[in-house]
Amino acid sequence: MPSLTAADTIRVLVATDSHVGYNERDPIRGNDSANSFHEVMCLAKERDVDMVLLAGDLFHENKPSRKSLYHVMRSLRMNCYGEKPCELEMISDPSEVFQGAFNHVNYEDPDINVAIPVFSIHGNHDDPSGEGHLAALDLLQVSGLVNYYGRTPESDNILIKPILLQKGQTKLALYGMSNVRDERLFRTFRDGKVKFFQPTTQKQDWFNLMSVHQNHHARTETGYLPESFLPEMLDLVVWGHEHECLIDPRYNPEKSFHVMQPGSSVATSLMPGEAVPKQVAILSITGREFKVETIRLKTVRPFVMKEIVLSENKEAKKYVKKGENRVDITRILIGIVDDLIEQAKAEWLEAQDEVDQDEDLEIPKPLIRLRVEYSAPEGGNFDCENPQRFSNRFVGKVANVNDVVQFHRKKTGTTRKAQNGAELPEESTMAHTTIDSVKVEKLVREFLTAQSLTILPQNSFGDAVSQFVDKDDKHAMEMFVTESLTNQFKHLMNVDQYEEEEIQSAMDEYKSKLEELFAAGHLKKTRKAKLKPKPDNWDTDLDGEWGDQPGALAHSDIEDEEEDEDDDGPASRPPKTTAPRGRGKAAAPRKTATTTKKAAAPAKTGRGRKKVVESEEEEDVKDVVMADPSEEEDESQLFLKPEPPSRGGRKAALTKKSAPPVKQTPARATTTKQSTLNFSQPASQRSQVTGRGKGRAASEMSDKISDDEDAFEPAPATTRSTRSKR
């Protein structure tokens, strides 16, 4: 390969965990996250990079506020749009990575001028949820601001296909894997259900860059992603989710790739890892070589943390034997906090440019955290002031006026016990369990271990609480309890009669079975929350949102059907089921599944029509063909080899899937008029149907199936069925 020049260098600005919207209602710190993100995007424009790579958690909340969306969209539009042409060439098929109506990279859109494209995966804070399984990043992609990639529609069968980009003679394969629950992802990797694809030609010329958003260290036995699980073909891994800034690439000799951990751009917890200076990096890739330039962020609020032990402090030792020493201890601690405030101001000024220092700069109020271990020696005592009252002494001086100090005692070997005999965490441990450092499901799991749940599965209970707290799903707990009681009741009714003393053991056995299914990833939420119709006299402005009311949730399918009978009447149902656009509105979940599976039949004809065209496209584009690394003899056995099914096998699979709904159709013919849609026509007649509903369904299925005949290896049948449902 001839020598490469600056024209062959791809310059990437790397950042992660912006958490826009964190603490946005705080009068002092409300705009910190938005200001830091805006600085990152301004750096991308000033340094004239080719692209921006974000490794998850762009937003702090799953449902970001309008204020957060406004700040992000404003920054992206101000710095990413422009007349400068993007020099990156998209080689691979973008529809394999991007989804939705605009399944192409945004800088190739003829309607907008994108100078600096932004590529982003989602994290654990801004992951997809709710109706349509959409994320906040989907809104940004539809608006042409962000290229959202690395989706994981199936957490137990993950296919990772790269975005292939080229500038000059440098080729970049950009891999991405959005956040998946750590325990489930660990199991999926261990079972060999994660498959990486790479180009079949010129493998040695591609620089393989990957972004992930998982726990980097083993907080639990399986609650993290080991670096050893990732393939050796990678050159650099950008690791999101961890907030401590370790941005200098670290080499992994076992897997022969480098790991970069940029950290967050805003402090979301007062922990030692957040006190490290916040930085971003500009990654310059030339051929297979890369170099990193780190840039310290200037708008980040200064944060200084210190931990002291009163029994080792010279001044505090003087008052350990004194009876009333609260005033003296408080005076000592106030002096330490004042010193930390001055230290934070000096560090912030040091991070500013010399030009900026000449101006009259307004130093932001710093974040200060003083951890005090106040265990006294035998015969002594340290009388400390209330932490809230002590923190309020620094109003106007610090940004966190409620939690400046944190008192804790020295850890001892004794354990506390609850009334039922269960061991509880020590006081020092409880002092560390803040809302920022502990997951809700972990708290639920720890405290329910000592309880005796008879009906409700424990791990599902923790997941429901997590959905209620983290994802703002107001009906998560109600739906979980209702479904658990209903399933337990159905189980007892379907089995032979129990003796009175056997009922308890049968319930425990069924509960354990549900817990095993949930732990294995087979038990998922099968239906979404359904709301009752809003009353005519309901005033949203006065009474609040109807969906937030406890009585708005429909508890069962029977209740939904009864309401449909009362509201619509038997005569009004047939038009709803026969109309092509009404299948997902008021029908029950089983009816929707039946109609969807029946609509797959016309896809056979559409597939045959595009047979010749697809073969011509495959001959023209040879450089972007993807291959599974597992096909090579020297690759690790971690990745399974996909077996391309024959065309006959695909048709047989479609026939099998559509067979059960056909058998159920005669049973419903007496109550509905779905039988008017004749799904038993011969293939020749179905191909000639030009009706509005049938023609549209046939063309949609034809397009979706024909997309599989592209530059990548065919995915397993489970993946294809998931894609067709979209």
Side-chain angles (χ1 to χ4, degrees):
M1 180 180 292
S3 60
L4 302 178
T5 62
D8 303 310
T9 301
I10 300 178
R11 304 180 72 244
V12 185
L13 189 142
V14 180
T16 182
D17 292 87
S18 299
H19 286 275
V20 177
Y22 170 74
N23 213 3
E24 63 182 349
R25 294 180 178 83
D26 188 280
I28 301 176
R29 306 164 60 187
N31 294 324
D32 285 3
S33 58
N35 294 338
S36 298
F37 177 74
H38 184 64
E39 181 186 1
V40 172
M41 299 312 302
C42 289
L43 284 172
K45 186 176 182 179
E46 292 172 5
R47 300 301 182 96
D48 193 24
V49 299
D50 294 305
M51 57 176 282
V52 177
L53 178 62
L54 304 177
D57 278 353
L58 172 58
F59 294 100
H60 182 70
E61 296 183 359
N62 181 261
K63 300 176 182 178
S65 64
R66 277 178 264 184
K67 178 183 176 182
S68 299
L69 285 170
Y70 169 78
H71 282 298
V72 169
M73 298 176 76
R74 184 197 62 164
S75 297
L76 291 172
R77 182 167 179 176
M78 289 174 61
N79 298 284
C80 296
Y81 284 3
E83 297 294 335
K84 180 181 79 74
C86 181
E87 300 181 17
L88 297 176
E89 179 185 359
M90 185 81 174
I91 299 180
S92 59
D93 183 6
S95 62
E96 286 291 338
V97 182
F98 306 116
Q99 302 172 4
F102 302 93
N103 55 354
H104 56 265
V105 69
N106 64 346
Y107 63 84
E108 292 184 352
D109 194 313
D111 299 324
I112 54 179
N113 292 330
V114 177
I116 304 176
V118 178
F119 294 86
S120 178
I121 62 176
H122 74 248
N124 59 309
H125 279 261
D126 52 4
D127 56 333
S129 65
E131 189 72 23
H133 200 64
L134 298 174
L137 290 177
D138 284 297
L139 301 179
L140 300 182
Q141 176 168 338
V142 168
S143 60
L145 296 170
V146 165
N147 299 295
Y148 174 27
Y149 78 111
R151 291 176 171 88
T152 52
E154 292 182 272
S155 58
D156 54 352
N157 184 26
I158 301 176
L159 302 178
I160 302 178
K161 299 181 180 181
I163 301 173
L164 302 183
L165 303 171
Q166 183 172 356
K167 179 183 178 183
Q169 300 181 34
T170 299
K171 297 179 175 65
L172 173 63
L174 181 60
Y175 294 83
M177 183 177 64
S178 295
N179 178 263
V180 180
R181 176 178 291 184
D182 290 290
E183 291 78 10
R184 181 169 295 177
L185 183 64
F186 188 97
R187 183 172 58 251
T188 305
F189 266 103
R190 184 188 58 196
D191 297 341
K193 296 297 183 65
V194 180
K195 210 180 312 303
F196 288 80
F197 291 78
Q198 62 181 131
T200 55
T201 59
Q202 303 175 340
K203 288 185 180 180
Q204 303 303 322
D205 296 339
W206 291 90
F207 184 89
N208 300 308
L209 172 64
M210 183 175 184
S211 59
V212 299
H213 193 95
Q214 303 292 150
N215 282 336
H216 201 175
H217 307 288
R219 291 174 170 81
T220 60
E221 185 178 355
T222 61
Y224 74 113
L225 175 62
E227 293 182 7
S228 59
F229 280 0
L230 300 177
E232 296 180 357
M233 67 176 184
L234 298 176
D235 295 296
L236 177 63
V237 179
V238 178
W239 210 290
H241 185 64
E242 299 289 349
H243 284 205
E244 184 178 3
C245 182
L246 302 173
I247 201 165
D248 294 324
R250 177 183 52 81
Y251 182 69
N252 185 325
E254 179 185 356
K255 306 299 291 186
S256 301
F257 55 65
H258 289 79
V259 179
M260 172 195 294
Q261 183 177 302
S264 65
S265 58
V266 63
T268 59
S269 61
L270 302 180
M271 305 293 290
E274 297 277 17
V276 180
K278 306 294 184 182
Q279 301 181 76
V280 296
I282 293 182
L283 174 68
S284 299
I285 305 171
T286 307
R288 293 296 301 273
E289 303 295 329
F290 74 93
K291 63 179 182 179
V292 175
E293 176 191 357
T294 60
I295 304 173
R296 181 172 179 177
L297 299 178
K298 304 173 185 177
T299 59
V300 177
R301 186 177 297 275
F303 173 32
V304 177
M305 183 174 182
K306 185 176 182 179
E307 184 168 359
I308 65 170
V309 179
L310 288 180
S311 59
E312 299 176 0
N313 185 276
K314 294 181 179 180
E315 293 188 51
K317 284 182 179 179
K318 302 176 183 178
Y319 307 102
V320 67
K321 299 293 184 179
K322 185 179 178 180
E324 298 292 336
N325 57 10
R326 173 177 296 188
V327 176
D328 302 300
I329 299 299
T330 302
R331 177 177 49 80
I332 296 173
L333 297 180
I334 290 176
I336 296 176
V337 172
D338 288 335
D339 293 340
L340 294 178
I341 294 175
E342 295 302 321
Q343 177 185 344
K345 292 180 179 180
E347 291 179 357
W348 187 85
L349 289 174
E350 182 182 354
Q352 309 305 310
D353 294 334
E354 295 181 359
V355 178
D356 297 338
Q357 290 184 3
D358 295 338
E359 302 175 3
D360 188 12
L361 297 178
E362 181 181 355
I363 303 177
K365 297 181 179 65
L367 296 171
I368 302 296
R369 168 53 65 90
L370 177 64
R371 297 192 73 242
V372 180
E373 197 268 286
Y374 66 103
S375 299
E378 186 176 356
N381 176 51
F382 289 119
D383 189 7
C384 297
E385 191 177 30
N386 178 276
Q388 176 83 21
R389 184 178 304 169
F390 179 86
S391 301
N392 291 155
R393 292 176 179 270
F394 302 94
V395 173
K397 296 181 180 180
V398 300
N400 55 320
V401 295
N402 294 320
D403 51 4
V404 171
V405 68
Q406 183 182 39
F407 295 108
H408 67 98
R409 290 183 179 275
K410 186 177 180 179
K411 180 183 288 188
T412 57
T414 59
T415 56
R416 300 183 301 143
K417 292 196 174 184
Q419 296 180 355
N420 56 1
E423 293 185 356
L424 296 178
E426 301 176 4
E427 292 183 3
S428 59
T429 304
M430 293 298 294
H432 293 282
T433 57
T434 61
I435 191 65
D436 294 324
S437 60
V438 177
K439 292 184 177 180
V440 175
E441 354 176 357
K442 183 179 179 181
L443 286 175
V444 173
R445 182 172 65 251
E446 290 179 353
F447 285 98
L448 287 184
T449 302
Q451 308 299 323
S452 56
L453 295 180
T454 306
I455 300 176
L456 303 179
Q458 178 174 317
N459 46 12
S460 301
F461 188 94
D463 181 69
V465 175
S466 176
Q467 292 292 326
F468 177 80
V469 176
D470 297 335
K471 309 304 179 186
D472 196 24
D473 189 348
K474 299 178 177 59
H475 303 294
M477 292 301 301
E478 188 176 357
M479 287 186 61
F480 164 70
V481 174
T482 303
E483 290 183 2
S484 299
L485 294 176
T486 303
N487 293 336
Q488 187 72 265
F489 177 76
K490 288 181 180 179
H491 171 71
L492 295 177
M493 295 299 294
N494 291 336
V495 185
D496 296 337
Q497 293 185 353
Y498 289 104
E499 297 294 336
E500 188 171 341
E501 57 274 7
E502 297 177 353
I503 294 180
Q504 183 64 40
S505 60
M507 295 174 66
D508 295 338
E509 181 180 352
Y510 183 69
K511 180 179 74 72
S512 302
K513 180 181 177 181
L514 292 179
E515 291 177 348
E516 293 176 0
L517 290 175
F518 184 86
H522 301 306
L523 187 62
K524 298 180 180 179
K525 200 172 183 180
T526 56
R527 66 185 181 92
K528 300 170 183 175
K530 287 189 173 183
L531 301 179
K532 300 177 182 178
K534 184 170 67 173
D536 297 335
N537 59 349
W538 186 268
D539 191 337
T540 304
D541 295 334
L542 298 178
D543 303 328
E545 291 292 338
W546 169 247
D548 298 343
Q549 306 304 314
L553 181 64
H555 294 280
S556 65
D557 294 336
I558 301 177
E559 186 176 348
D560 297 340
E561 294 175 0
E562 291 177 354
E563 291 179 357
D564 291 343
E565 292 178 0
D566 297 338
D567 298 340
D568 302 333
S572 62
R573 291 185 193 170
K576 291 187 177 181
T577 56
T578 56
R581 298 182 180 178
R583 286 182 289 178
K585 291 183 178 180
R590 290 178 294 179
K591 297 179 182 179
T592 304
T594 304
T595 309
T596 305
K597 292 181 179 178
K598 289 181 180 180
K604 300 177 183 177
T605 307
R607 187 174 184 82
R609 287 200 302 268
K610 294 196 176 183
K611 182 177 181 181
V612 179
V613 179
E614 292 165 358
S615 62
E616 294 177 356
E617 293 176 354
E618 292 177 358
E619 293 178 0
D620 296 338
V621 187
K622 294 182 179 179
D623 187 49
V624 296
V625 176
M626 294 296 149
D628 185 357
S630 61
E631 296 178 2
E632 302 292 338
E633 295 179 357
D634 57 344
E635 289 290 331
S636 172
Q637 299 180 358
L638 178 64
F639 310 110
L640 299 181
K641 177 180 179 180
E643 299 179 0
S646 61
R647 293 186 181 272
R650 294 178 182 174
K651 293 182 179 180
L654 290 174
T655 307
K656 280 184 178 181
K657 292 181 181 179
S658 59
V662 173
K663 294 180 181 179
Q664 297 176 2
T665 303
R668 299 190 179 188
T670 57
T671 57
T672 66
K673 292 187 179 180
Q674 284 185 343
S675 58
T676 57
L677 295 176
N678 189 357
F679 292 100
S680 60
Q681 295 178 353
S684 60
Q685 295 181 8
R686 286 198 300 269
S687 62
Q688 299 174 359
V689 174
T690 59
R692 181 175 57 186
K694 299 179 182 179
R696 184 184 297 110
S699 62
E700 289 177 358
M701 293 302 299
S702 174
D703 293 341
K704 290 179 181 177
I705 295 181
S706 64
D707 286 344
D708 292 338
E709 303 291 333
D710 53 14
F712 297 102
E713 289 286 341
T718 54
T719 307
R720 186 178 298 109
S721 62
T722 305
R723 179 174 296 171
S724 62
K725 290 179 183 178
R726 298 194 193 101

